[in-house]
Amino acid sequence: MDSPFSGLSSRQFGKLIIALRSEGADPVRKGRPWSLPLEDRVLLVAAYWRTNLTLRQLAPLFGVSKSVADRIIDHLGPSLALQQRKRFRKDTVLIVDGTLPPTRDHSVAEESKNYRYSTNHQVVIDADTRLVVAVGRPLPGNRNDCKAWGLSGAKAAVGRATVIADGGYRGTGLVIPHRREKGQAELPAWKEEDNTSHRKVRARVEHAFARMKTWKILRDCRLKGDGVHHAMLGIARLHNLTLAG
């Protein structure tokens, strides 16, 4: 039952549980213990992120109350967060882009170019492995990518690594496509070839977004406060585990 919701094979799911226990996600609690074992709690969180069912709909599937399901998500969601990479090889090439998950908590979201209240998440992937290596903190969806790159912490997370981006990151020092100068009718052939190569490589981050957005919570997030950030980081970790095989 774990694969449809977590996207992981039974072997991968088992490795995740072992890793979570080693990270302290299942400590001995004082007082009343959890009504579900860690495996089922992880599955509950994954099912919530994957289906975006309301807690009133989801809780009976696991035989718990709505309030228990809510506490499990609040407690375990942060524990599933991606451990962002801190060091990169000198020849590492990364790709960054922003995505705008619609978010109902208007205290952290703003109306964006998709005409919905959204949060801007800067997501960085490794161009070779296509694994997510960093996710910036969410900013209001009306922040453009060139500002969100620095303000979200994504820039600091990747240090001096080479980063490819689209034309929305002008002035950031990232590798972006060539643009025509004022009065220039067309680009030289070598620049057009560079841009073609750039588009093919940069498309990999769009493919990562497409896979991550199979998790329906990123299409309409009802979580408040840091909930959307925890969901994005958790989904990034599960996405990486799926790719790693």
Side-chain angles (χ1 to χ4, degrees):
M1 185 181 176
D2 52 344
S3 183
F5 295 119
S6 67
L8 305 176
S9 66
S10 296
R11 181 177 60 83
Q12 291 169 331
F13 190 79
K15 285 185 175 181
L16 174 62
I17 297 300
I18 292 170
L20 289 172
R21 285 202 169 99
S22 69
E23 294 164 10
D26 193 27
V28 177
R29 299 177 74 210
K30 293 182 179 180
R32 186 176 179 181
W34 290 107
S35 55
L36 295 174
L38 179 61
E39 292 84 351
D40 287 347
R41 280 180 276 141
V42 172
L43 190 57
L44 186 152
V45 176
Y48 181 64
W49 289 344
R50 175 73 79 180
T51 65
N52 207 21
L53 292 171
T54 65
L55 294 181
R56 200 174 297 279
Q57 294 170 318
L58 184 68
L61 300 178
F62 289 84
V64 297
S65 67
K66 173 180 174 292
S67 59
V68 169
D70 189 28
R71 286 196 294 272
I72 289 173
I73 291 168
D74 285 346
H75 175 266
L76 198 53
S79 299
L80 284 165
L82 171 75
Q83 302 298 312
Q84 306 195 64
R85 198 187 301 177
K86 295 180 179 179
R87 293 185 178 181
F88 301 92
R89 301 187 315 271
K90 289 184 178 180
D91 60 344
T92 298
V93 176
L94 307 176
I95 311 170
V96 66
D97 201 2
T99 186
L100 299 169
T103 308
R104 296 194 189 185
D105 184 356
H106 290 188
S107 67
V108 297
E110 287 290 347
E111 195 169 3
S112 60
K113 62 185 179 183
N114 61 8
Y115 303 106
R116 300 180 67 181
Y117 276 82
S118 307
T119 45
N120 183 318
H121 294 254
Q122 296 291 299
V123 178
V124 185
I125 71 166
D126 187 304
D128 290 328
T129 65
R130 308 186 187 216
L131 299 177
V132 178
V133 298
V135 178
R137 288 199 60 82
L139 295 171
N142 59 358
R143 297 289 177 87
N144 58 42
D145 285 337
C146 64
K147 290 186 177 180
W149 167 241
L151 294 174
S152 68
K155 178 180 179 180
V158 303
R160 298 182 179 181
T162 300
V163 184
I164 294 174
D166 64 23
Y169 289 82
R170 292 188 74 185
T172 59
L174 304 184
V175 180
I176 64 173
H178 298 290
R179 296 170 63 94
R180 286 179 296 175
E181 301 295 335
K182 186 176 181 180
Q184 189 177 21
E186 58 183 26
L187 289 173
W190 69 270
K191 287 188 176 182
E192 290 286 5
E193 291 176 4
D194 276 357
N195 283 357
T196 299
S197 176
H198 185 282
R199 282 193 297 271
K200 289 179 179 179
V201 174
R202 203 195 66 79
R204 295 171 189 175
V205 74
E206 301 291 351
H207 299 159
F209 286 155
R211 286 189 292 268
M212 292 174 72
K213 287 183 178 179
T214 60
W215 298 79
K216 293 185 179 179
I217 198 167
L218 299 185
R219 302 180 194 175
D220 181 20
C221 183
R222 292 188 296 268
L223 295 170
K224 295 182 179 180
D226 284 338
V228 65
H229 186 46
H230 295 153
M232 178 64 80
L233 287 171
I235 290 167
R237 181 176 187 174
L238 295 173
H239 165 270
N240 284 359
L241 287 171
T242 303
L243 282 187

